[in-house]
Amino acid sequence: MPQTLSTSDMVTPSSPGPLPTKPTDGEQAHQPLLVGAPSSASLDTLIQHLVPTADYYPEKAYIFTFLLSSRLFIEPRELLARVCHLCIEQQQLDMPVLDKARVRKFGPKLLQLLAEWMETFPRDFQEESTIGHMKDVVGRIAPCDEAYRRRMHQLLQALHQKLAALGQGPESLLCADKPIAYRTKTPASIHRELLGICSDPYTLAQQLTHVELERLRHIGPEEFVQAFVNKDPLASTKPCFSDKTKNLEAYVKWFNRLCYLVATEICMQRDPPLSPLSTSRPRVHMTQGKIGGSMCARWSFPEADAATELGCEVFMGVNTCDGERGRSRPGQEEKLACDASAYGTVSCPLWCPHGPAKKKRRAQVMEFFIDAARECFNIGNFNSLMAIVSGMNMSPVSRLKKTWAKVKTAKFFILEHQMDPTGNFCNYRTALRGAAHRSLTAHSSREKIVIPFFSLLIKDIYFLNEGCANRLPNGHINFEKFLELAKQVGEFITWKQVECPFEQDPIITHYLYTTPIFSEDGLYLASYESESPENHTEKERWKTLRLPIFMAL
């Protein structure tokens, strides 16, 4: 299992050094960063350092660093083909009679290299041709010891199981990524709200940690490189990124979804919906009145109980009645009833819950998320923490001044301070280092959890990639750069392999994955109807957003 990359704890004690190679002109073979590894070298030299012999096995840190970065210059299947060819050539495995003593020293090292490669980068072995190269070289050493063939069979079984597990990734569960319009009729899950299925913020923080670790587990370390790879001017292969970053991209989408989910849960607060089991259409009673010179309609549901009776004034801008009080135009009551029935499935844009009870409820939801975010911080789940803080800072939520006035904001300000972007997220980076240190000295599985703010991790890797050249002016690979890259990615691998200590609640996690979320326009509509627009800009935006709704009436 890959560990945090440092030379001191990843050196193989019995490794006397790499196979001696003659540096080419301009190759910086002095001042090695790993034992025997140059700070820069040609691709052929770096590949040679990867190939084991009877007396040499590369350091684990070198194996991980080179396998991670090599895909910028050569495709993994081609790299494996070259490694196998060098093994056959150097160990004379194509000779009719093999040196069994030397092969018995070389064989375990070759299988160890293949095992580490398959464990850390299993997706490199998805093509049948890649498996063929392995079977060929192992088949050549098997006559010396049949245990090699059995070991190869075990490695392939483990590989198939790992690839099958990775193929069942959580991206398929994220079926509600696309935000819905404010009035769109949505699945029955919108009848519920998060507090209805999870009233404990600490439980929510634990379930969010479950989701985060599940999604992180499917991200391969190679995706960090492939996300930013461009065609190398000196490489003879096509770029390797194509569609190989889907898990990384799905994780970024999860962060965005959680932001919008938090904002949706706050802005959608409304009176309890009509029972979804009811097959009868609610009767809509309309009365006409005049407010501010505009015609308005007041709707009510006489068949609902006192808790679900609704009423609101809607500035229609048009005459909704035929002039006789209490009577709508022919067909209008039918249409309004249809629109009203949709209220049971998604918050209807024509309800204006301005009452104190609504503000109090929204304030409770805000405080619920603040407590959940604080527990995420205590756990070490910084990605969910940032998503919650970001969701509560979205404009449709932050503008709810009357609601925020009812919230105890001291705890929220502390969380905002921890995730403050000032000084390149200095406060967050300090907290992350503290969580990482706690993980190294942990006495329980809970203390091992470190889930970084993922977008910032991507940003750091991006600027590392952009800030240093892949190749030096002489054409050699800048291996020093890739050691730093491997250090950052190696830490991430260690963190993502932690087993979640909290028991999963399938109902809560399913809700987090599948409940509909409002689009940005939908959030603004819900926000304006929670608290009316206060300035000219907000009023104009509200008119623009409501226009399609009234056109449909």
Side-chain angles (χ1 to χ4, degrees):
M1 228 179 247
Q3 302 296 317
T4 302
L5 297 176
S6 64
T7 305
S8 59
D9 61 4
M10 301 195 79
V11 172
T12 305
S14 60
S15 301
L19 186 70
T21 57
K22 187 175 181 179
T24 59
D25 291 341
E27 195 165 292
Q28 298 178 24
H30 58 286
Q31 296 180 341
L33 298 169
L34 294 174
V35 177
S39 59
S40 68
S42 65
L43 180 61
D44 290 341
T45 301
L46 293 174
I47 292 176
Q48 182 65 70
H49 277 284
L50 183 67
V51 178
T53 68
D55 302 314
Y56 162 72
Y57 187 77
E59 293 184 55
K60 290 184 178 180
Y62 179 84
I63 294 173
F64 177 75
T65 301
F66 183 66
L67 291 180
L68 176 68
S69 58
S70 63
R71 61 201 69 238
L72 289 168
F73 313 99
I74 182 173
E75 291 187 10
R77 58 183 173 83
E78 185 179 345
L79 174 62
L80 181 62
R82 291 183 62 174
V83 168
C84 291
H85 175 75
L86 286 171
C87 288
I88 294 171
E89 184 180 76
Q90 294 173 4
Q91 304 303 318
Q92 300 180 340
L93 300 180
D94 54 352
M95 300 295 290
V97 180
L98 301 178
D99 183 341
K100 291 187 177 182
R102 184 169 63 178
V103 169
R104 287 195 178 104
K105 293 176 65 179
F106 164 75
K109 293 182 174 64
L110 172 63
L111 289 169
Q112 183 181 351
L113 175 65
L114 295 175
E116 289 188 36
W117 194 337
M118 283 189 269
E119 171 66 25
T120 311
F121 302 95
R123 293 186 179 93
D124 288 353
F125 297 84
Q126 289 179 312
E127 297 183 20
E128 194 61 37
S129 60
T130 308
I131 303 296
H133 292 309
M134 290 194 304
K135 289 182 176 178
D136 176 53
V137 69
V138 174
R140 293 172 184 267
I141 64 175
C144 297
D145 193 335
E146 280 300 317
Y148 298 153
R149 202 184 303 275
R150 291 194 298 270
R151 176 58 178 155
M152 183 65 183
H153 181 68
Q154 293 172 352
L155 291 176
L156 290 177
Q157 277 189 324
L159 174 66
H160 292 320
Q161 292 174 357
K162 195 172 186 70
L163 289 175
L166 292 173
Q168 299 173 352
E171 63 271 6
S172 59
L173 297 176
L174 204 57
C175 60
D177 269 337
K178 187 176 180 180
I180 60 173
Y182 193 53
R183 295 182 76 252
T184 302
K185 191 171 184 178
T186 56
S189 58
I190 199 69
H191 283 289
R192 299 175 297 170
E193 58 180 27
L194 182 57
L195 268 69
I197 60 172
C198 178
S199 59
D200 181 12
Y202 304 102
T203 299
L204 176 62
Q206 294 173 2
Q207 297 308 305
L208 286 172
T209 303
H210 246 294
V211 173
E212 299 281 357
L213 289 173
E214 174 64 20
R215 300 195 72 85
L216 285 177
R217 200 166 288 120
H218 287 79
I219 299 175
E222 70 278 3
E223 295 192 44
F224 291 96
V225 173
Q226 289 160 340
F228 306 120
V229 63
N230 292 315
K231 175 67 176 177
D232 186 74
L234 298 180
S236 59
T237 60
K238 296 179 180 179
C240 307
F241 53 94
S242 60
D243 62 343
K244 297 180 180 179
T245 59
K246 64 178 183 179
N247 294 295
L248 187 150
E249 294 168 3
Y251 190 57
V252 173
K253 288 181 180 179
W254 155 250
F255 176 88
N256 294 335
R257 171 179 170 76
L258 183 54
C259 293
Y260 273 80
L261 176 61
V262 170
T264 298
E265 291 288 333
I266 294 171
C267 292
M268 72 180 288
Q269 290 306 310
R270 60 194 187 279
D271 292 321
L274 299 177
S275 171
L277 302 178
S278 175
T279 58
S280 61
R281 180 174 295 155
R283 294 200 307 268
V284 181
H285 287 185
M286 296 182 58
T287 60
Q288 181 185 359
K290 233 178 186 183
I291 299 182
S294 299
M295 298 302 299
C296 67
R298 182 177 296 276
W299 300 351
S300 63
F301 293 78
E303 293 181 349
D305 58 25
T308 60
E309 288 183 359
L310 305 173
C312 77
E313 293 177 345
V314 184
F315 293 86
M316 304 292 291
V318 295
N319 191 342
T320 59
C321 299
D322 61 359
E324 184 176 348
R325 184 175 183 83
R327 180 180 297 177
S328 60
R329 294 192 303 269
Q332 182 72 10
E333 182 171 352
E334 180 77 8
K335 182 169 182 60
L336 292 175
C338 291
D339 291 332
S341 64
Y343 179 74
T345 47
V346 68
S347 184
C348 177
L350 301 181
W351 300 117
C352 304
H354 294 304
K358 293 286 90 183
K359 293 185 184 67
K360 183 178 180 181
R361 180 59 173 172
R362 284 191 296 275
Q364 290 175 344
V365 175
M366 287 181 177
E367 291 183 346
F368 173 82
F369 279 118
I370 292 171
D371 287 338
R374 186 175 64 169
E375 182 62 13
C376 285
F377 178 85
N378 293 334
I379 291 173
N381 180 359
F382 297 102
N383 201 57
S384 290
L385 163 62
M386 189 61 177
I388 294 174
V389 171
S390 299
M392 297 186 70
N393 275 318
M394 292 180 70
S395 295
V397 178
S398 63
R399 64 167 298 276
L400 300 174
K401 297 178 182 178
K402 295 178 183 177
T403 304
W404 279 104
K406 296 180 176 293
V407 176
K408 299 176 182 178
T409 55
K411 292 182 289 185
F412 183 67
F413 292 154
I414 293 174
L415 296 175
E416 280 189 313
H417 177 72
Q418 290 294 335
M419 306 307 290
D420 186 353
T422 303
N424 194 18
F425 289 89
C426 176
N427 296 334
Y428 157 72
R429 294 182 188 278
T430 300
L432 180 65
R433 286 195 298 270
H437 177 73
R438 181 186 67 179
S439 179
L440 291 174
T441 59
H443 299 291
S444 66
S445 55
R446 176 179 173 132
E447 294 177 337
K448 293 181 180 179
I449 297 175
V450 182
I451 303 175
F453 173 28
F454 196 68
S455 295
L456 187 59
L457 175 62
I458 295 292
K459 177 184 174 184
D460 289 344
I461 294 175
Y462 173 80
F463 281 111
L464 173 62
N465 181 66
E466 292 296 308
C468 301
N470 291 341
R471 292 185 184 269
L472 299 180
N474 61 5
H476 292 153
I477 293 173
N478 183 4
F479 198 67
E480 185 175 0
K481 164 188 173 176
F482 296 117
L483 281 168
E484 180 60 31
L485 173 66
K487 179 181 178 181
Q488 293 190 29
V489 177
E491 281 185 327
F492 167 80
I493 292 178
T494 302
W495 296 336
K496 83 185 185 79
Q497 290 173 337
V498 172
E499 292 294 329
C500 186
F502 310 118
E503 184 177 355
Q504 184 179 15
D505 187 322
I507 296 177
I508 298 176
T509 54
H510 181 73
Y511 183 91
L512 294 172
Y513 274 127
T514 62
T515 192
I517 55 176
F518 286 142
S519 64
E520 184 176 5
D521 287 348
L523 288 173
Y524 271 108
L525 271 171
S527 177
Y528 291 148
E529 296 187 9
S530 297
E531 295 185 18
S532 299
E534 293 186 348
N535 53 52
H536 177 74
T537 302
E538 289 188 345
K539 290 177 182 178
E540 288 300 314
R541 181 164 192 169
W542 191 23
K543 288 180 182 179
T544 302
L545 293 175
R546 287 187 306 164
L547 184 59
I549 300 171
F550 298 142
M551 293 293 290
L553 290 176

